Amino acid sequence: DGKSHPAHISTYMHPIFLRYVKRWYKKVMPIIKDYQIANDKAIIMMQLCNEIAFYYWFSAEGDYSQACLRYYHTFLKKFYKNIKELNQGYGTDYKHFDEVVPPKGKATNKKGYIKYRDWHLFYRWYYARYLSYLFKEIKRYNININTNLLSH
C-alpha cells in the first residue's frame, strides 16, 4: 500500500538502503580484510545479516512499501506462467501482475491461504536476493572468511 512499516523498518532492497550498506561496508570491510584469518589474524567468520526477518515477524507486518512491492510483482511473474494462472488460484480477475495486492489480515479460505503461501515464498526469494547482494559486496573487498546468517 506504499505506507511506512509501523515499526519503521528499512526495505532491504531499496536503493537508498543499499547505498547506506555500501557506505558502511566501505568503512568496515577494509578493517575486516586486514584482520581476517588469511592474514594470520583473529577474524574467522562474519554474519551477513542478524535475524533478517525478526522485526517483520515480531510486528506481524510485511513490507508493503512500493520498492518491496515491485520485487513482489517480479516474483509473481516468475512463479506463475501467466496472470490467468494466478487469478485461478486467488479467485481474482487481475489484468496484470503489477495490480496484485499482497495479503493482509487473516486467511479465511483456500484462496486466502494460497495468497499467503505466495507472500511467504516471496519473502524467501526476496531475502535470498538481499543476502546474495551482501555476499557479493563483501567479496568485492577480497574477504575470504566463512559467512553465516544467524549465530545463536
Side-chain angles (χ1 to χ4, degrees), residues 12-13 17-18 20-22 24-25 29 46-50 52 127-141 143 147-149:
Y12 294 124
M13 293 299 290
F17 182 79
L18 296 178
Y20 279 100
V21 167
K22 282 187 174 190
W24 167 246
Y25 278 12
M29 292 305 156
M46 69 182 287
Q47 189 169 332
L48 287 176
C49 186
N50 185 42
I52 187 170
Y127 292 151
R129 264 122 205 90
Y130 173 61
L131 294 170
S132 176
Y133 173 86
L134 296 179
F135 187 75
K136 287 175 185 173
E137 284 299 306
I138 289 167
K139 289 299 179 187
R140 286 180 356 105
Y141 289 91
I143 293 175
T147 56
N148 72 346
L149 181 54

Side-chain angles (χ1 to χ4, degrees), residues 49-104:
C49 186
N50 185 42
E51 299 187 3
I52 187 170
F54 175 77
Y55 292 104
Y56 293 107
W57 297 330
F58 190 70
S59 68
E61 283 284 331
D63 183 350
Y64 298 97
S65 69
Q66 290 299 318
C68 190
L69 292 180
R70 282 191 292 276
Y71 280 95
Y72 178 57
H73 296 142
T74 298
F75 165 78
L76 292 173
K77 289 173 189 173
K78 293 176 182 292
F79 191 74
Y80 288 98
K81 293 177 193 167
N82 54 52
I83 195 68
K84 182 179 177 182
E85 184 183 13
L86 177 138
N87 283 328
Q88 287 173 341
Y90 285 19
T92 54
D93 192 27
Y94 293 117
K95 303 292 184 234
H96 306 281
F97 285 101
D98 295 344
E99 298 172 11
V100 179
V101 178
K104 274 192 169 185

Side-chain angles (χ1 to χ4, degrees), residues 103-117:
K104 274 192 169 185
K106 292 183 179 182
T108 57
N109 57 40
K110 183 178 178 181
K111 294 179 187 315
Y113 286 109
I114 290 170
K115 291 176 188 178
Y116 269 104
R117 179 211 57 197

